[in-house]
Amino acid sequence: MSRIFKVGVLGLGARAESFSRKLDGNHPRAQLLAVCDVDPDRLVQYCDYCGHKEGVRRFTDPSKFFAQEDMDAVVITTPEFVHKESALAAIAAGKHFYLEKAMATTSEDCRTILRAHRKSRVTGYLGFNMRWNPLFRRFKEIVDCGVAGKIVHVAGLEQLHQAHGAAFMRRFHRHSARSGGLLNTKCAHDLDMLRWLVGVRHRVTKVASFGGTNVFLPQNGPPGHGTHCSNCPERIRRSCSYVDRAGFVFPVSGPTPLHKTRDQAIYGGDLCVYNDDKDLVDNQTVILEWDHGVRGNFNLQLFQNRGRRAYTIWGEQALLEMDTLWGEIRVTHSTSGEVQTHKIQPAKGGHGGADAFLIDSFLDAIESGVAPDSDLSAGLAATLLAEKADESRTTGRVVEIRQDEYL
Ligand SMILES: NC(=O)c1ccc[n+]([C@@H]2O[C@H](COP(=O)([O-])OP(=O)(O)OC[C@H]3O[C@@H](n4cnc5c(N)ncnc54)[C@H](O)[C@@H]3O)[C@@H](O)[C@H]2O)c1
């Protein structure tokens, strides 16, 4: 029989919920030992909201949280600007850790975590949960079976629903120093997916990017709008697609939704999306070239009615297409024109069923001692790519990536 792992969750926001609830249920392999958030109000509200048992230890001081000798592992769901300190604290305390994407705000911080991890004996797992989405997993299997022949070109798209996109313009992500920029904080997933599909042994060597803020500009706000949704005139709120309903973070409403952490200067609360206190782009395009000659692109859009991800692979022998809107994969053979369709049923749980597999996959990695597929080097590769794309976007130059920058 497998042992029961005692797990702590650090950073009690939107993301933590999908882990702590599962761990505090009747998980056959793990038990929620403790939770920690530096915001004391958040700690209380979160535990009430999730209905955590009395016996779950509660901390506001991360050093006391990490000092628990009987804690085996920790799930880190703090914001990106805290990931380095959280991961280093886990390594220093000898705790296995699951670290949410994006790994850190800069590639140098990712390398600092990687270097510390290499000297340790703990498992480090990077939370690229899209790899567990059944649609993406099937797409990867089809790519790997070689039906496309030699891969020539790849493309990825992330299109966000309006409410989802708006969240990045008002929350901690809006300051790129705290999130590493929109491409890093939101699309680290997609940059990892492109790498996973093309083959993780290959590395991007050149990147170019264009992007900007076209919609969420102060001058585009409706005349007379408030600084925050809560002080915006009702007639404007009613017609605003981006009004903060707090539902993106927690399904609660009312004057003090749970996502309003104490420090509004950082966390933003219901800040108007047309605020001038942000430095994020709201649309971006990236062009990539890998070391084996494959080329590709990625596009990011924030203003649509439906969230969607789509990936296309052009091979010498077939075209492979996958789209979360259809929930299916199409393979079109180049010579015969024959089309095969694979319909994939989503599994239950967040992110198209992906989240349901995360805890077990993390526990498997700890138990086996074998490095997970989604490891810290995958986290570095994604953040490095986002950083280089943003360098290209801001300098107007094609940026090269040296092999040693991936180490
Ligand atoms: N994998 C995914 O699909 C996915 C989805 C959503 C969010 N995320 C990631 O999860 C992370 C958290 O995002 P979120 O939306 O839950 O953020 P959030 O702002 O809702 O919550 C973060 C919490 O961390 C707390 N915190 C800050 N510093 C801390 C510290 N030093 N120690 C303990 N707690 C601290 C804050 O008080 C806050 O309550 C981010 O890295 C985000 O990118 C991943």
Side-chain angles (χ1 to χ4, degrees), residues 64-364:
K64 292 189 177 142
F65 168 80
F66 280 113
Q68 298 172 94
E69 284 192 1
D70 52 349
M71 184 167 72
D72 302 304
V74 55
V75 172
I76 299 171
T77 47
T78 51
E80 272 80 354
F81 63 93
V82 192
H83 282 187
K84 182 174 77 168
E85 91 183 36
S86 305
L88 292 180
I91 293 167
K95 311 295 181 196
H96 304 290
F97 63 101
Y98 169 102
L99 178 60
E100 257 310 334
K101 67 81 209 163
M103 182 166 170
T105 55
T106 64
S107 62
E108 197 40 49
D109 282 359
C110 295
R111 285 186 207 97
T112 303
I113 298 171
L114 261 166
R115 282 194 286 264
H117 177 252
R118 282 191 190 119
K119 291 184 200 144
S120 79
R121 302 177 64 141
V122 300
T123 295
Y125 190 111
L126 213 290
F128 286 130
N129 48 342
M130 266 169 57
R131 292 191 187 201
W132 285 100
N133 178 309
L135 183 62
F136 290 87
R137 276 191 100 68
R138 185 77 186 105
F139 193 57
K140 167 76 173 153
E141 280 168 15
I142 292 171
V143 172
D144 285 354
C145 81
V147 64
K150 192 174 167 194
I151 295 175
V152 179
H153 201 102
V154 298
L157 164 73
E158 170 148 43
Q159 164 186 308
L160 294 184
H161 177 269
Q162 288 161 324
H164 195 171
F168 294 90
M169 299 295 140
R170 56 165 55 102
R171 300 175 63 214
F172 73 84
H173 318 76
R174 73 189 187 284
H175 298 132
S176 52
R178 293 202 172 91
S179 59
L182 191 56
L183 206 54
N184 183 54
T185 189
K186 185 68 194 92
C187 304
H189 278 311
D190 302 273
L191 300 175
D192 176 65
M193 184 52 58
L194 289 170
R195 174 176 179 262
W196 197 48
L197 293 173
V198 165
V200 299
R201 68 182 185 286
H202 296 296
R203 290 172 172 172
V204 173
T205 53
K206 281 186 200 158
V207 57
S209 180
F210 297 96
T213 312
N214 292 45
V215 175
F216 296 123
L217 292 166
Q219 60 268 33
N220 289 348
H225 72 83
T227 56
H228 292 71
C229 298
S230 48
N231 64 23
C232 198
E234 185 55 28
R235 69 184 161 78
I236 297 177
R237 277 174 59 95
R238 262 203 307 273
S239 58
C240 179
S241 309
Y242 307 112
V243 68
D244 173 50
R245 299 188 199 287
F248 176 67
V249 179
F250 282 117
V252 289
S253 55
T256 53
L258 281 179
H259 77 282
K260 293 193 173 58
T261 43
R262 201 177 262 191
D263 194 340
Q264 294 285 298
I266 295 177
Y267 291 97
D270 62 344
L271 190 62
C272 176
V273 289
Y274 298 104
N275 72 74
D276 59 4
D277 181 36
K278 62 176 178 295
D279 61 4
L280 288 195
V281 299
D282 60 26
N283 65 92
Q284 191 161 354
T285 187
V286 182
I287 310 170
L288 310 154
E289 187 171 76
W290 275 264
D291 55 8
H292 58 322
V294 170
R295 300 189 182 89
N297 62 67
F298 172 71
N299 288 302
L300 165 65
Q301 289 296 330
L302 298 193
F303 326 103
Q304 310 310 318
N305 187 259
R306 297 181 73 174
R308 172 187 179 202
R309 276 188 164 110
Y311 286 85
T312 308
I313 293 189
W314 290 266
E316 277 182 348
Q317 291 168 20
L319 165 68
L320 314 182
E321 297 169 280
M322 182 271 268
D323 195 316
T324 56
L325 273 189
W326 318 325
E328 65 183 36
I329 296 162
R330 290 180 199 159
V331 179
T332 307
H333 296 270
S334 305
T335 309
S336 65
E338 183 197 345
V339 180
Q340 289 159 341
T341 304
H342 305 255
K343 188 89 191 158
I344 312 296
Q345 293 305 322
K348 280 193 186 148
H351 295 96
D355 290 353
F357 299 97
L358 283 179
I359 289 175
D360 278 306
S361 158
F362 176 43
L363 298 178
D364 287 346

Side-chain angles (χ1 to χ4, degrees), residues 21-42:
R21 273 188 193 278
K22 264 192 210 89
L23 291 165
D24 198 18
N26 293 315
H27 198 286
R29 299 170 68 195
Q31 171 203 336
L32 182 67
L33 184 80
V35 290
C36 176
D37 197 294
V38 288
D39 181 335
D41 298 337
R42 181 82 165 220

